[in-house]
Amino acid sequence: MLIYSILFVLLSNAVTLRRDKSILYSRSLIFVLLVAFNVGLLSLNLESLNKGIGLFSGLFHTTAISNTFHIFIFFISAIILQLTGFYPRKVWVKEYSSFYKIMFNEFIYFNTKILNKMGEQFKIIEYSLILLFIITGATFLISSSDIVSIFISIELQSYGLYLLCTLYRNSELSTSAGLTYFLLGGLSSCFILLGTSLLYVNSGATNLDGFYVITNVSDFKYNINSLISWYSSNYINFSLLIMSVGFLFKIGAAPFHFWSPDVYDAIPTIVTTFVAIIAKISILIFLFELVHYTSNYFFAFNFSWTISLLFSSLLSLIIGTILGLNQFRIKRLFAYSTISHLGFILLALSINSVESIQAFIFYLMQYSITNLNAFIILISIGYTLYTYINNDIEYMKLLDKNNSPIQLISQLKGYFYVNPVLAISLAITIYSLVGIPPLVGFFGKQMVLSAALDNGYIFITLIAILTSVISAVYYLNLIKQMFFDKPDYVINPDLKNINFLGGIVNKTLKEKISYNVNNIVLSNNLTISISCLTLVILLFILNPQEWLSMTNILAVYISE
């Protein structure tokens, strides 16, 4: 589905005469992703995928875990594409919003600026095509089972991300951030390529199954001295250590995190939403399968490359929390928040027990959904402030306000008095990131910490608890500014007393109506997405069984 849709978008892009069809391409891609989502659901059969199916002579494989996260990526990507597939605002007049009048009448008004039709995201026709390449690379990476296909997939995903960051050509900040991302991403690719080449040179194998066999047979070396006395498993260990550096670089985990806050902050918020979520899901699932393929009891008595994940987890917890305390730009704050949460994910990843596998899958899913909701709300807040003005000097000096309307934490000051429902939705999302019960984020952290304690990781568990408490300081500062401070926003006096004219048209009559700034509201796609995601976060405790059962079944299946 994805490859065919790439061909169709390329062909339609070549023959089109108008350059304003980006919104139609986004809607087409949403349809493609929903069809792929449905195909993934129909093919998700745990019994038939019990041992996995090899594809293309072992370059790729399909298993229950790969199929599950293919479906998850399609779902998340479709939600993100709503931001560019539909206009962000609409005119809502209660008297003319009944089902009958919506279906059989047409509302005509001057809507270019009200709907934000001239927004930069609606002028870029290549946006959907580049997203297709990234999603294709992500799904290939999750299914990769050979070091050749691994490198091809990660580069296919990475090249699209570099282009996506620099897609807003009129933005100097995003261009510089994309260049930074490209240069440092190229450096991380060098580590991945070096690690894969060393794996092949030292083992003569390219398939992950081959490394699984070698690392398990290496255990016999100490029991049967003459069997494979020429071989040392440390060859694979050091090669995988170098390789893991490249992947930790790409997901922005400490100590390779320094590019992440700058890139997140400089690129447009719509692009940040995609870069912060999709790229990490695919790489983390691949690392999870790599840990599974190369872990055995022999490594417990010797050096193992998975120690690097544990070390990165510890640093991510500390750095993401401490450096986040002095941030005043909201996307940089979210970047350090992501680094801190990566610490929990990598902790679950490095333990590699049945309980930790379940915790890893659950935490990755719930954090992706929570982070997605936070970014969508942030974008929606920018759209709701269309009719307001802010005379704060610090705000007036901001660059690239059209692509990222909300850049400072202080811009959320008193927002509860502007739009209380959206402010409450953001508060619920932030409380979930903190880990306050009974929200879904609490259960994710509880599962990871429980798995760590059961396996004897007491010190890092204490660090995780302390950093989680400390990180609540900068999260709750957002709550304090939204709900307890007075807003700096006032309705634009030029618009306050103006009545806009519009008309209702059907087959028989025309009727003139007037509306004001209070009738300009968020569009349905944003409100429905935020409502559904917020309810998932809030009401998880009422029906947790399905989600927990799925993660438990996958964990047991993988461990076997």
Side-chain angles (χ1 to χ4, degrees):
M1 279 299 301
L2 296 176
I3 293 173
Y4 280 135
S5 56
I6 286 174
L7 295 176
F8 287 133
V9 173
L10 280 170
L11 290 172
S12 58
N13 192 17
V15 300
T16 185
L17 297 177
R18 301 178 64 186
R19 299 292 291 174
D20 59 349
K21 296 190 176 182
S22 171
I23 193 167
L24 298 178
Y25 286 166
S26 293
R27 292 178 183 179
S28 301
L29 183 52
I30 291 173
F31 174 75
V32 168
L33 290 172
L34 291 178
V35 173
F37 175 85
N38 186 51
V39 171
L41 281 179
L42 293 175
S43 62
L44 184 59
N45 189 327
L46 293 178
E47 292 182 2
S48 63
L49 295 177
N50 188 27
K51 300 301 180 183
I53 302 170
L55 305 171
F56 302 107
S57 302
L59 286 177
F60 299 96
H61 66 97
T62 177
T63 61
I65 187 72
S66 66
N67 256 27
T68 301
F69 277 93
H70 285 169
I71 294 168
F72 188 65
I73 284 180
F74 297 148
F75 173 71
I76 296 291
S77 300
I79 295 177
I80 294 173
L81 270 162
Q82 290 188 91
L83 301 174
T84 53
F86 300 90
Y87 295 119
R89 291 183 289 262
K90 67 176 183 180
V91 174
W92 184 77
V93 182
K94 185 177 180 180
E95 295 79 7
Y96 299 92
S97 298
S98 65
F99 179 78
Y100 176 81
K101 290 191 175 183
I102 290 174
M103 293 298 296
F104 298 101
N105 297 276
E106 183 181 1
F107 185 22
I108 299 175
Y109 57 97
F110 183 71
N111 58 17
T112 301
K113 290 188 176 180
I114 292 174
L115 296 183
N116 194 37
K117 280 190 174 181
M118 302 306 291
E120 186 72 17
Q121 69 270 29
F122 301 126
K123 298 179 183 178
I124 303 170
I125 202 168
E126 300 89 355
Y127 181 81
S128 302
L129 182 62
I130 293 173
L131 254 61
L132 267 174
F133 280 110
I134 298 172
I135 295 167
T136 306
T139 53
F140 282 175
L141 181 61
I142 289 175
S143 294
S144 293
S145 61
D146 193 283
I147 57 176
V148 176
S149 58
I150 289 166
F151 187 74
I152 293 173
S153 301
I154 190 65
E155 290 307 294
L156 178 61
Q157 173 182 291
S158 298
Y159 289 155
L161 291 171
Y162 305 149
L163 291 173
L164 194 64
C165 291
T166 57
L167 204 58
Y168 288 66
R169 301 178 187 86
N170 297 327
S171 172
E172 183 181 342
L173 290 175
S174 67
T175 304
S176 62
L179 184 59
T180 302
Y181 192 16
F182 168 68
L183 293 174
L184 295 177
L187 177 62
S188 64
S189 296
C190 291
F191 281 101
I192 295 172
L193 191 59
L194 177 60
T196 53
S197 60
L198 289 175
L199 280 175
Y200 176 69
V201 167
N202 290 321
S203 66
T206 61
N207 198 283
L208 294 185
D209 286 328
F211 302 127
Y212 180 78
V213 171
I214 291 172
T215 52
N216 278 277
V217 170
S218 300
D219 190 14
F220 290 102
K221 174 185 172 182
Y222 291 86
N223 298 324
I224 307 174
N225 293 327
S226 60
L227 182 62
I228 47 172
S229 57
W230 55 271
Y231 185 77
S232 172
S233 61
N234 284 333
Y235 289 153
I236 290 181
N237 255 329
F238 287 120
S239 301
L240 290 172
L241 178 63
I242 295 171
M243 193 174 174
S244 67
V245 168
F247 283 108
L248 291 173
F249 215 118
K250 286 192 179 291
I251 62 175
F256 314 106
H257 65 283
F258 43 84
W259 61 270
S260 175
D262 295 332
V263 172
Y264 279 31
D265 189 41
I267 59 180
T269 309
I270 289 176
V271 177
T272 309
T273 306
F274 194 85
V275 172
I277 298 173
I278 301 299
K280 289 179 172 53
I281 293 174
S282 59
I283 293 175
L284 285 167
I285 292 300
F286 165 72
L287 279 176
F288 165 69
E289 295 193 348
L290 195 63
V291 170
H292 174 67
Y293 270 108
T294 57
S295 293
N296 55 50
Y297 294 109
F298 168 66
F299 284 162
F301 306 101
N302 204 342
F303 168 77
S304 172
W305 73 277
T306 54
I307 292 176
S308 64
L309 301 179
L310 200 60
F311 179 69
S312 178
S313 169
L314 178 62
L315 288 182
S316 296
L317 288 168
I318 297 172
I319 291 173
T321 301
I322 302 301
L323 296 185
L325 292 173
N326 62 350
Q327 300 302 315
F328 61 92
R329 298 182 67 89
I330 192 161
K331 283 196 289 184
R332 290 182 69 90
L333 178 64
F334 278 163
Y336 283 111
S337 166
T338 300
I339 294 169
S340 177
H341 285 279
L342 278 172
F344 281 93
I345 295 173
L346 291 174
L347 175 59
L349 187 62
S350 58
I351 296 172
N352 197 34
S353 65
V354 176
E355 187 180 3
S356 70
I357 291 171
Q358 183 182 5
F360 167 80
I361 296 171
F362 180 82
Y363 199 103
L364 182 57
M365 285 185 169
Q366 68 84 17
Y367 178 68
S368 299
I369 291 173
T370 308
N371 207 22
L372 173 63
N373 196 38
F375 275 110
I376 293 178
I377 293 174
L378 196 64
I379 293 168
S380 301
I381 288 173
Y383 291 141
T384 59
L385 298 175
Y386 167 69
T387 57
Y388 292 81
I389 56 174
N390 188 341
N391 294 319
D392 185 71
I393 297 175
E394 194 175 16
Y395 172 74
M396 300 296 289
K397 293 180 180 179
L398 290 178
L399 300 175
D400 211 15
K401 286 187 284 188
N402 291 332
N403 295 327
S404 298
I406 305 298
Q407 299 182 29
L408 304 175
I409 294 175
S410 60
Q411 287 179 260
L412 298 177
K413 188 181 296 183
Y415 185 74
F416 175 76
Y417 301 99
V418 176
N419 191 324
V421 177
L422 210 54
I424 291 172
S425 297
L426 182 57
I428 292 171
T429 306
I430 289 172
Y431 283 142
S432 180
L433 291 172
V434 175
I436 293 178
L439 304 177
V440 67
F442 165 77
F443 295 98
K445 289 187 176 182
Q446 184 264 339
M447 290 171 70
V448 172
L449 296 176
S450 175
L453 282 175
D454 288 347
N455 287 271
Y457 294 86
I458 298 174
F459 174 74
I460 197 168
T461 302
L462 292 174
I463 296 295
I465 294 171
L466 287 173
T467 53
S468 186
V469 172
I470 295 171
S471 66
V473 173
Y474 56 72
Y475 285 125
L476 296 180
N477 180 45
L478 293 173
I479 304 295
K480 179 252 182 187
Q481 299 222 21
M482 278 196 300
F483 289 88
F484 299 101
D485 291 348
K486 294 183 179 180
D488 293 329
Y489 294 100
V490 292
I491 294 180
N492 191 336
D494 296 333
L495 300 174
K496 190 173 184 179
N497 299 316
I498 292 180
N499 286 326
F500 303 99
L501 294 177
I504 297 291
V505 180
N506 59 25
K507 293 181 180 179
T508 58
L509 57 88
K510 296 181 181 179
E511 182 182 352
K512 290 185 179 180
I513 65 170
S514 64
Y515 60 93
N516 55 35
V517 294
N518 295 323
N519 297 113
I520 302 173
V521 298
L522 287 175
S523 61
N524 291 338
N525 68 293
L526 289 174
T527 55
I528 292 173
S529 297
I530 292 170
S531 301
C532 293
L533 292 173
T534 305
L535 288 175
V536 169
I537 295 168
L538 181 63
L539 303 180
F540 167 78
I541 194 172
L542 297 182
N543 188 21
Q545 194 58 40
E546 298 296 329
W547 199 344
L548 292 175
S549 296
M550 182 196 69
T551 56
N552 187 39
I553 291 170
L554 287 173
V556 173
Y557 150 74
I558 291 164
S559 63
E560 290 178 352

